[in-house]
Amino acid sequence: MRGFSLICSVLSRSLTHARRTSEYQINVLRFHSDLPPPSLSGRLGPYTWYKDLVAQGKLQHDPHQEKVALELDNLLGRLEQYENDMEEYHLNLSKWEETRENERRRLLTEEAEGKQKGGVFSSVNKHRSRFVERWMSRTKPENVEPGVGKWVSYLNRERKLDSLIGRRPTAPPAPKGLYLYGNVGSGKTMLMDMFYSATEGIVKHRRRFHFHEAMLQIHEHMHKIWKNQVEEKSLQSGISSWIMNLPFDTKVKEWIDAEERYNQEVYMKNILPAVADKFLVDWQANQRGASILCFDEIQTVDVFAIVALSGIVSRLLSTGTVLVATSNRAPRELNQDGMQREIFLKFLAKLEDHCETVPVGSEIDYRRIIAQTSIDKIHYFWPLDSIKINEFENVWNEVARHSEGRITSDTIAVMFGRTLEVPQCCNGVARFTFEYLCGRPVGAADYIAIAKNFHTVFISDIPMMSMRIRDKARRFITLVDELYNYHCSLFCTAAASIDDLFQGTEEGKLFDLERLALT
């Protein structure tokens, strides 16, 4: 029954969670957002913040939540010194990288000078080179891989650089992050968001991602990197300006350029570290320091998620990023289907090494309690009869009138250069049918775009769902989750109550909605 509770809770919380308020919008579900951010209230830590909300009666005291708030507060206290240590480290790292790159180019130039003086590429040695080339092709072992010469020269150059410049500076030990897990509605996201808000002004580089948004950003970064590689390879003359200005023959310059390209190929061999380096920080901003990654609802839904999370999160943790994550499952329960087991176990080891695992042990689903006690119930209209449909239309017309704009259609940008048509909208309010949003091949990227562009969303004609329309049900779960994640208010008409909206199979067995959302 856990999956059923999940979607009922998520739908209930979205229906009561408004980004803005009006006479038709419910009070914000996350009561902690009623307080000003830490930067405006004397840097309020998660523990003090939580205690204040309890004292004000905005939160019910929960010893499990209080314990987690204290853990987050302790982590926040360790971050200030860590930020100072990381700034010093990155200053040393920047100098080391600059010196190493200059020295690497110097070594390349020296090698090129030797080739120029030796006439390796001159016309005088053309016939000799052809003879040597033919002889080498006859005597070369069959198991020698193409490019092995570049690989050897690359390794030799790296060894020389290590001896001349020294090894990469060592990052200061990072404080352990936190992995919060527990039942639906136990307060994990609320507590993580308190911590994230409290890091403002303490940590320079901080990001908060929901799982779907993170996966989409990873896809987008990978696409951009691959695209840049293709564009670079398509250039007729890829020789960079610093090589063009060297006093060498064209053939020698082409050799240097080939070595440079190989250096980049080695770096790009595994694309995930390159994506990770762009995931949190714009490294060209030249302002480096500690990084915080808050990751809500971490999941391993498929092979790509396991591989991407393993490569990117492992890289971030190895380079000093502090992770605070939430999930419905403990780390070792994330991959119940056993996909990519070896990669997952490496990721798990890295996660357990860099994060304290903290259960949020509350059995209470606070989101459903708040939804059930809400004073305003006009956000969910059921069943689909003429009376409820008329009530829904009246609310839509009234909200649109209060928005002081003309109802029109619009086109909004979606990730990867795509767009989505919005049939009806007006100053931050949009209206769709269930079939338009969930009956077509759309997904998380489209729902995130809607949530970013509109503070209130109306959805009509939501049917009762079963495994027969599981694709639509899965999209609907993602849609509602993203609307909640971006604090949108949801109004809808449906064929049944929230508790009865998701039906069993023809045999009568209730399907597991949580597993459906993860497939």
Side-chain angles (χ1 to χ4, degrees):
M1 295 295 290
R2 184 182 176 193
F4 180 69
S5 174
L6 170 74
I7 190 59
C8 290
S9 173
V10 169
L11 184 54
S12 296
R13 64 182 178 171
S14 184
L15 290 166
T16 59
H17 196 169
R19 185 186 299 166
R20 300 180 185 178
T21 57
S22 74
E23 60 183 300
Y24 292 100
Q25 294 178 336
I26 318 306
N27 293 329
V28 176
L29 174 61
R30 291 182 186 166
F31 289 124
H32 64 270
S33 64
D34 291 346
L35 285 183
S39 57
L40 302 177
S41 58
R43 193 179 292 168
L44 205 60
Y47 182 71
T48 305
W49 201 342
Y50 177 82
K51 297 284 282 185
D52 283 356
L53 289 171
V54 171
Q56 294 174 39
K58 294 182 176 180
L59 287 180
Q60 177 181 320
H61 177 260
D62 186 311
H64 303 286
Q65 291 181 353
E66 184 176 7
K67 179 184 175 182
V68 175
L70 185 58
E71 292 273 7
L72 290 165
D73 216 70
N74 291 336
L75 173 57
L76 183 68
R78 295 192 291 271
L79 286 178
E80 282 195 79
Q81 183 57 48
Y82 181 58
E83 173 69 27
N84 296 332
D85 293 342
M86 284 296 282
E87 286 216 44
E88 182 180 352
Y89 159 71
H90 279 301
L91 183 63
N92 295 333
L93 178 62
S94 181
K95 292 177 180 177
W96 178 85
E97 288 175 337
E98 183 180 358
T99 304
R100 187 180 178 92
E101 178 59 19
N102 290 337
E103 190 64 24
R104 189 183 67 80
R105 292 189 177 187
R106 187 186 68 79
L107 289 176
L108 258 180
T109 307
E110 278 186 0
E111 291 179 50
E113 286 175 351
K115 293 180 182 299
Q116 177 92 348
K117 289 176 182 177
V120 172
F121 300 109
S122 67
S123 58
V124 176
N125 292 321
K126 184 188 295 182
H127 297 293
R128 184 188 306 171
S129 296
R130 285 177 179 172
F131 171 77
V132 171
E133 196 174 294
R134 285 197 300 269
W135 181 82
M136 287 294 290
S137 67
R138 290 177 62 185
T139 58
K140 184 173 65 174
E142 292 183 3
N143 60 349
V144 175
E145 296 179 5
V148 70
K150 286 189 174 65
W151 174 242
V152 170
S153 62
Y154 170 82
L155 287 180
N156 288 336
R157 207 172 294 126
E158 290 295 303
R159 290 194 190 99
K160 286 181 183 178
L161 288 170
D162 286 342
S163 62
L164 290 169
I165 308 302
R167 294 282 185 176
R168 181 187 182 94
T170 304
K176 276 196 168 187
L178 295 174
Y179 180 102
L180 313 178
Y181 74 96
N183 293 332
V184 172
S186 58
K188 305 180 296 295
T189 299
M190 177 191 73
L191 293 164
M192 184 193 73
D193 284 349
M194 286 182 179
F195 169 80
Y196 181 74
S197 296
T199 60
E200 183 180 353
I202 296 178
V203 179
K204 282 184 180 178
H205 307 296
R206 62 196 190 104
R207 294 293 298 275
R208 181 202 184 278
F209 286 106
H210 184 267
F211 173 77
H212 296 302
E213 185 180 18
M215 290 297 104
L216 288 168
Q217 290 228 0
I218 291 169
H219 273 288
E220 187 174 44
H221 284 310
M222 291 175 72
H223 175 73
K224 286 180 179 178
I225 291 172
W226 276 323
K227 184 179 179 182
N228 289 340
Q229 282 184 292
V230 171
E231 287 177 351
E232 286 177 9
K233 288 178 180 178
S234 67
L235 295 176
Q236 290 184 353
S237 177
I239 299 178
S240 58
S241 59
W242 79 272
I243 299 176
M244 289 295 294
N245 294 327
L246 293 174
F248 299 131
D249 293 341
T250 301
K251 288 292 186 182
V252 178
K253 290 179 181 179
E254 288 177 353
W255 173 82
I256 298 175
D257 185 61
E259 293 291 320
E260 283 283 75
R261 287 174 180 273
Y262 188 76
N263 185 66
Q264 285 298 314
E265 286 175 15
V266 171
Y267 174 70
M268 294 301 298
K269 203 74 174 178
N270 184 353
I271 196 171
L272 291 178
V275 172
D277 290 343
K278 297 177 180 294
F279 198 62
L280 282 181
V281 180
D282 177 8
W283 291 110
Q284 299 187 356
N286 230 5
Q287 293 182 337
R288 304 185 182 185
S291 298
I292 288 289
L293 172 59
C294 288
F295 202 142
D296 194 26
E297 295 191 18
I298 196 168
Q299 304 168 24
T300 54
V301 296
D302 52 30
V303 170
F304 175 80
I306 292 174
V307 174
L309 286 175
S310 177
I312 290 173
V313 174
S314 295
R315 169 81 168 193
L316 292 173
L317 293 176
S318 298
T319 54
T321 296
V322 177
L323 175 68
V324 175
T326 73
S327 180
N328 293 334
R329 295 189 173 115
R332 291 190 173 274
E333 297 175 357
L334 281 172
N335 187 19
Q336 292 185 334
D337 294 330
M339 298 179 292
Q340 294 292 323
R341 180 172 174 77
E342 186 176 342
I343 294 175
F344 174 74
L345 289 176
K346 289 180 180 178
F347 166 64
L348 187 64
K350 181 72 71 172
L351 194 65
E352 291 178 340
D353 190 44
H354 287 80
C355 292
E356 298 286 350
T357 301
V358 180
V360 185
S362 178
E363 296 295 327
I364 303 172
D365 185 345
Y366 290 102
R367 296 178 306 201
R368 295 210 73 189
I369 291 176
I370 294 170
Q372 290 165 0
T373 57
S374 173
I375 59 172
D376 195 339
K377 296 290 184 181
I378 63 170
H379 43 265
Y380 190 83
F381 299 87
W382 66 279
L384 293 175
D385 58 25
S386 58
I387 295 175
K388 295 302 179 183
I389 290 173
N390 286 336
E391 290 178 4
F392 176 80
E393 292 293 339
N394 290 337
V395 173
W396 159 253
N397 292 330
E398 190 66 17
V399 169
R401 185 176 66 81
H402 276 282
S403 296
E404 299 179 352
R406 186 169 61 88
I407 297 174
T408 183
S409 61
D410 197 6
T411 303
I412 59 175
V414 183
M415 294 178 73
F416 307 107
R418 294 174 47 245
T419 59
L420 178 71
E421 297 294 325
V422 181
Q424 291 179 285
C425 60
C426 175
N427 287 348
V429 181
R431 178 170 175 172
F432 306 89
T433 65
F434 172 87
E435 279 298 318
Y436 188 82
L437 290 181
C438 303
R440 304 185 305 134
V442 294
D446 304 88
Y447 304 147
I448 288 171
I450 291 170
K452 285 182 175 180
N453 281 275
F454 302 102
H455 59 77
T456 303
V457 175
F458 284 71
I459 302 175
S460 61
D461 304 316
I462 300 172
M464 295 174 69
M465 283 171 264
S466 70
M467 287 298 287
R468 288 185 297 101
I469 56 169
R470 57 183 173 275
D471 287 343
K472 296 180 182 181
R474 182 166 52 239
R475 292 189 189 107
F476 184 64
I477 293 169
T478 303
L479 167 62
V480 173
D481 213 25
E482 291 303 333
L483 292 177
Y484 172 73
N485 189 49
Y486 281 89
H487 301 191
C488 291
S489 179
L490 172 61
F491 295 83
C492 52
T493 60
S497 68
I498 293 175
D499 289 332
D500 295 329
L501 194 60
F502 293 85
Q503 297 297 306
T505 63
E506 293 178 358
E507 291 75 25
K509 182 179 178 182
L510 183 70
F511 61 90
D512 188 339
L513 284 163
E514 183 174 19
R515 290 191 65 79
L516 173 64
L518 302 181
T519 57

